[in-house]
């Protein structure tokens, strides 16, 4: 195809020859061991993909290392998955075991395939995002250190489990549809430096950035003002106007949501729902958050049926039973007061709290 000076390259230029030759003609796949998929085509061709966790924010040395491994065993072919895994694409079956041995020797985590926890997907966090409430990569590291056995398959789980971390409520990650989601939440209204706003901020753009209409011009100060009753502390305004600050070390923290999934298997896709309203930031290891996630995983693993995702399990036993098993308090924060929430309200009288 003709090359252009913009946009991504055509994917067909970057796939292994075995995939080009069997494109659209794959018959089935199996999971011979945790972290390894064996793909078989109708022509009899076999391709192995070996999945390895990555921390998403990686060093140049790490990238060079995985490229060297791919050159050695995969003719240079690898890919990144949507949840920040690396997949080494092995066309020569004789190179599969040497690849696995080298990955183990270098302490790469092989797993995330089949009945396991997949790699935690996360947003930018403090390292990059202007409106970040928490350090998404720091929380992810802490959780993965605890969940390693579930990723590699050494600790068994009933079904797939996906965990996501979003550093603020704008949720660049897949938190709305993950089995367990950690979402950063601001709890204080943004603070405005009026003198700076009058000099460096475009007032119409700042006003238009607010999704709830909480911001209006302040002509006297040549700045803007915020209506606290309408503000939902999303931080959108801080992105377009550097004079507005929302980060608050004392009141910022995270909430934990459960029960989401994209999969259409067994039940329809589901959105995550609130389980823990607030946990304060505790860098560098976020002990309370990590313990809460570990508790949710262990309770689900001990009580769910084979093949039952987190949301499906909760739907079967009921939210009252879930809160009791997970030893979580039910508070007024769990009651959805959004304008259109009545479409999701439970209208039955069969509550057991």
């Amino acid at each position: 195809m003709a090359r252009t000076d913009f946009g991504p390259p055509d994917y067909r230029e970057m796939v292994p020859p075995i995939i080009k030759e069997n494109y659209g003609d794959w018959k089935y796949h199996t999971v011979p061991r945790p972290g390894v998929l064996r793909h078989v085509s109708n022509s009899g061709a076999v391709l192995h993909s070996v999945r390895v966790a990555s921390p998403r924010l990686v060093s140049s040395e790490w990238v060079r290392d995985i490229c060297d491994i791919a050159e050695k065993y995969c003719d240079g072919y690898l890919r990144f998955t949507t949840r920040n895994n690396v997949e080494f694409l092995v066309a020569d079956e004789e190179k599969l075991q040497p690849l696995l041995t080298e990955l183990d020797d270098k302490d790469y985590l092989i797993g995330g395939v089949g009945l396991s926890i997949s790699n935690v997907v996360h947003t930018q966090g403090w390292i990059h995002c202007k409106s970040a409430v928490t350090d998404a990569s720091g929380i992810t590291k802490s959780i993965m250190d605890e969940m390693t056995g579930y990723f590699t398959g050494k600790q068994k789980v009933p079904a797939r489990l996906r965990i996501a971390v979003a550093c603020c409520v704008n949720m660049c990650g897949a938190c709305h549809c993950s089995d367990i989601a950690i979402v950063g939440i601001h709890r204080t209204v943004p603070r405005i430096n009026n003198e700076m706003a009058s000099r460096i901020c475009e007032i119409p753009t700042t006003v238009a950035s607010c999704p709830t209409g909480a911001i209006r011009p302040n002509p006297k100060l040549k700045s803007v003002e915020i209506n606290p009753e309408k503000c939902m502390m999303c931080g959108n305004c801080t992105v377009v106007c550097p004079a507005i600050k929302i980060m608050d070390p004392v009141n910022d923290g995270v909430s934990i949501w459960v029960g989401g999934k994209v999969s259409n298997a067994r039940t329809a896709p589901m959105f995550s729902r609130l389980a823990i309203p607030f946990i304060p930031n505790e860098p560098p290891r976020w002990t309370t958050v990590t313990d809460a996630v570990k508790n949710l995983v262990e309770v689900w693993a001990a009580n769910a049926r084979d093949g039952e995702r987190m949301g499906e399990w909760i739907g079967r036993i009921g939210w009252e039973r879930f809160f009791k098993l997970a030893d979580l308090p039910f508070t007024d924060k769990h009651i959805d007061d959004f304008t259109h929430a009545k479409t999701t309200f439970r209208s039955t009288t069969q509550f057991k709290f």
Side-chain angles (χ1 to χ4, degrees):
M1 294 183 65
R3 290 187 174 275
T4 63
D5 59 352
F6 61 90
D10 188 271
Y11 71 92
R12 286 169 291 189
E13 298 177 5
M14 308 179 73
V15 297
I18 188 173
I19 293 181
K20 287 184 181 179
E21 295 163 3
N22 296 276
Y23 193 83
D25 197 34
W26 296 97
K27 188 176 181 180
Y28 66 90
H29 73 264
T30 59
V31 184
R33 57 152 285 178
V36 178
L37 287 166
R38 184 175 187 269
H39 311 271
V40 181
S41 79
N42 286 313
S43 67
V46 177
L47 174 72
H48 287 87
S49 53
V50 179
R51 185 169 294 184
V52 170
S54 95
R56 183 176 184 266
L57 301 175
V58 298
S59 65
S60 55
E61 288 81 4
W62 190 89
V63 173
R64 290 191 183 98
D65 193 35
I66 63 169
C67 288
D68 289 341
I69 293 172
E71 290 285 352
K72 190 173 180 180
Y73 301 104
C74 313
D75 299 321
Y77 291 102
L78 57 78
R79 77 181 193 101
F80 282 85
T81 71
T82 56
R83 300 189 80 88
N84 311 319
N85 298 285
V86 179
E87 280 194 351
F88 294 96
L89 306 174
V90 187
D92 185 352
E93 196 161 356
E94 293 183 358
K95 294 182 179 180
L96 176 62
Q97 189 53 51
L99 168 63
L100 295 172
T101 301
E102 181 163 340
L103 292 173
D104 283 331
D105 291 342
K106 292 186 174 181
D107 293 327
Y108 283 95
L109 290 181
I110 304 171
V113 173
L115 303 183
S116 65
I117 290 180
S118 60
N119 199 27
V120 180
V121 65
H122 68 88
T123 58
Q124 303 288 351
W126 285 336
I127 198 168
H128 178 75
C129 183
K130 297 181 179 67
S131 61
V133 182
T134 190
D135 184 29
S137 55
I139 292 178
T140 298
K141 165 64 174 170
S142 301
I143 291 173
M144 278 297 284
D145 284 348
E146 288 291 329
M147 299 288 109
T148 296
Y150 292 105
F151 178 83
T152 59
K154 293 179 180 178
Q155 292 173 274
K156 303 301 180 183
V157 289
R160 295 283 287 163
L161 186 84
R162 298 185 182 276
I163 302 175
V165 181
C167 58
C168 72
V169 294
N170 293 305
M171 293 196 303
C172 306
C175 286
H176 64 290
C177 56
S178 292
D179 296 279
I180 299 175
I182 298 95
V183 181
I185 52 171
H186 294 292
R187 300 195 300 166
T188 52
V189 176
R191 305 171 299 281
I192 305 170
N193 184 325
N194 291 306
E195 182 182 353
M196 184 184 295
S198 65
R199 290 187 287 108
I200 67 173
C201 296
E202 189 179 57
I203 304 303
T205 303
T206 305
V207 172
S209 70
C210 182
T212 61
I215 301 177
R216 62 183 180 183
N218 185 339
K220 291 183 179 180
L221 299 176
K222 296 182 180 180
S223 180
V224 295
E225 58 187 32
I226 299 174
N227 182 348
E229 294 183 359
K230 290 185 176 181
C231 179
M232 65 177 184
M233 285 77 80
C234 68
N236 273 359
C237 55
T238 66
V239 176
V240 299
C241 178
I244 301 177
K245 304 296 182 183
I246 193 172
M247 293 183 180
D248 185 343
V250 176
N251 294 295
D252 284 351
V254 303
S255 56
I256 297 182
W257 303 65
V258 298
K261 76 182 184 87
V262 176
S263 169
N264 215 11
R266 297 173 304 280
T267 61
M270 296 182 287
F271 284 124
S272 305
R273 297 198 178 191
L274 183 65
I276 302 175
F278 181 76
I279 300 174
N281 278 322
E282 299 171 327
R285 297 299 297 177
W286 279 268
T287 306
T288 306
V289 175
T290 303
D291 290 344
V293 171
K294 186 177 181 181
N295 173 56
L296 290 170
V297 172
E298 290 176 344
V299 170
W300 164 73
N303 294 277
R305 295 171 179 170
D306 289 345
E308 201 169 43
R309 295 281 292 268
M310 174 76 76
E312 296 166 349
W313 167 63
I314 295 172
R316 176 172 61 83
I317 68 172
W319 285 91
E320 298 92 339
R321 178 70 174 155
F322 162 73
F323 275 96
K324 185 176 181 179
L325 288 173
D327 195 24
L328 298 176
F330 185 87
T331 71
D332 61 322
K333 302 295 188 296
H334 292 93
I335 300 174
D336 191 351
D337 61 354
F338 179 61
T339 303
H340 303 293
K342 62 184 180 181
T343 59
T344 62
F345 277 165
R346 283 172 56 177
S347 56
T348 176
T349 59
Q350 296 171 319
F351 288 92
K352 299 178 181 179
F353 285 115

